[in-house]
Amino acid sequence: MGPWWVNAKLRWRALRCQHQLFKDYYQSLVPLLELPISRAPLMAMDLEMTGLDPLQDQILSIGLVPIENGAIPLMGAQQKLVQIQGSVGQSATIHGILDNHLTEAVTIEEAMAWFVAQTRGHVLVAHHSPLDCRFLQQDILSIYHQAIVLPAIDTLLLEKHRLLREHSVLKEGSLRLGACRERYGLPIYGAHSALTDALACGELLLAQVASMGGAEELKVGELLAYSR
């Protein structure tokens, strides 16, 4: 699907949406689609969850890292820990977040309001964006009783398309964030957190765009369409 489809979908949503918060959200994205990727305001994101099922599992933390004019201003990086119902259980072995880490965490309602406010006017960037977006969409639907479309540039899919032009079969694990970064000579980050992974994703996108060449001509809408 081409960039025109992304543009049409956002314009239709902005026109038909009854909730002003989300109408404004869509309207803030439409003019960004025609911007060169090097000048567009982007927001790399990552979530840590208790599992992989948005209907059963819960968001534990959200990391957001802005990308502005082809650079990452680290002063704008933010992370929120999110309260959950029950215990983190065995998922702590993956993300390292323990129950006592969440004593000062925000509620899921506060987290979603913060997410929408922080990402308004930014195009999302994520590694395997459907997973993170489904969790966010599920919680936003539960809280606001309004479905939301979250267009995102997916660094995993960008890398998959690139590799499939060179190889007919991809090695297992070749699309993991660390493996993708290694191919571009990016450093391996030891800490596993939403903020660190959001930063790692943002850096990966900049490396991918640089390898494509023509960052001044490459439009946001093209990368969104390419990431589907």
Side-chain angles (χ1 to χ4, degrees):
M1 298 179 186
W4 64 268
W5 184 87
V6 181
N7 191 311
K9 186 172 185 178
L10 283 177
R11 288 182 181 277
W12 176 250
R13 285 278 178 163
L15 179 67
R16 299 289 294 174
C17 185
Q18 299 299 311
H19 199 299
Q20 191 61 44
L21 178 65
F22 301 111
K23 183 184 287 286
D24 291 344
Y25 193 90
Y26 298 135
Q27 289 174 339
S28 76
L29 292 177
V30 171
L32 306 184
L33 301 181
E34 293 301 316
L35 288 180
I37 195 70
S38 59
R39 292 196 287 110
L42 311 174
M43 188 70 75
M45 70 167 181
D46 186 75
L47 273 57
E48 297 295 337
M49 299 86 74
T50 59
L52 300 178
D53 184 351
L55 295 178
Q56 301 291 332
D57 297 306
Q58 302 172 74
I59 295 173
L60 288 164
S61 65
I62 305 172
L64 296 178
V65 175
I67 305 172
E68 300 174 1
N69 298 314
I72 297 176
L74 287 177
M75 290 183 65
Q78 301 181 69
Q79 178 174 257
K80 294 286 187 186
L81 291 175
V82 185
Q83 296 175 13
I84 63 169
Q85 297 178 354
S87 170
V88 299
Q90 292 299 312
S91 69
T93 60
I94 298 173
H95 47 66
I97 299 173
L98 304 177
D99 291 334
N100 61 2
H101 294 159
L102 302 178
T103 55
E104 302 297 323
V106 301
T107 65
I108 190 61
E109 291 81 5
E110 291 170 325
M112 291 303 100
W114 170 79
F115 172 82
V116 172
Q118 294 299 314
T119 60
R120 183 183 181 277
H122 295 76
V123 175
L124 297 173
V125 180
H127 198 72
H128 189 32
S129 62
L131 179 61
D132 288 351
C133 287
R134 280 197 294 267
F135 270 86
L136 293 163
Q137 288 166 327
Q138 180 62 37
D139 283 324
I140 286 171
L141 178 61
S142 298
I143 294 164
Y144 294 96
H145 308 291
Q146 173 74 53
I148 187 173
V149 172
L150 296 172
I153 296 171
D154 192 331
T155 52
L156 185 151
L157 279 183
L158 291 180
E159 192 66 7
K160 182 178 180 179
H161 285 301
R162 186 185 75 82
L163 290 177
L164 285 175
R165 287 198 297 268
E166 303 172 3
H167 311 280
S168 58
V169 178
L170 301 184
K171 293 182 180 178
E172 184 177 352
S174 63
L175 294 176
R176 290 175 182 157
L177 182 56
C180 293
R181 286 174 58 85
E182 190 173 358
R183 282 191 290 273
Y184 292 90
L186 295 170
I188 302 301
Y189 292 143
H192 187 69
S193 72
L195 188 60
T196 302
D197 286 351
L199 173 61
C201 175
E203 291 176 343
L204 174 59
L205 177 69
L206 293 180
Q208 288 174 321
V209 169
S211 74
M212 292 177 189
E216 282 299 325
E217 291 78 30
L218 193 62
K219 302 288 180 63
V220 168
E222 295 176 84
L223 281 185
L224 283 172
Y226 205 59
S227 296
R228 296 192 61 79

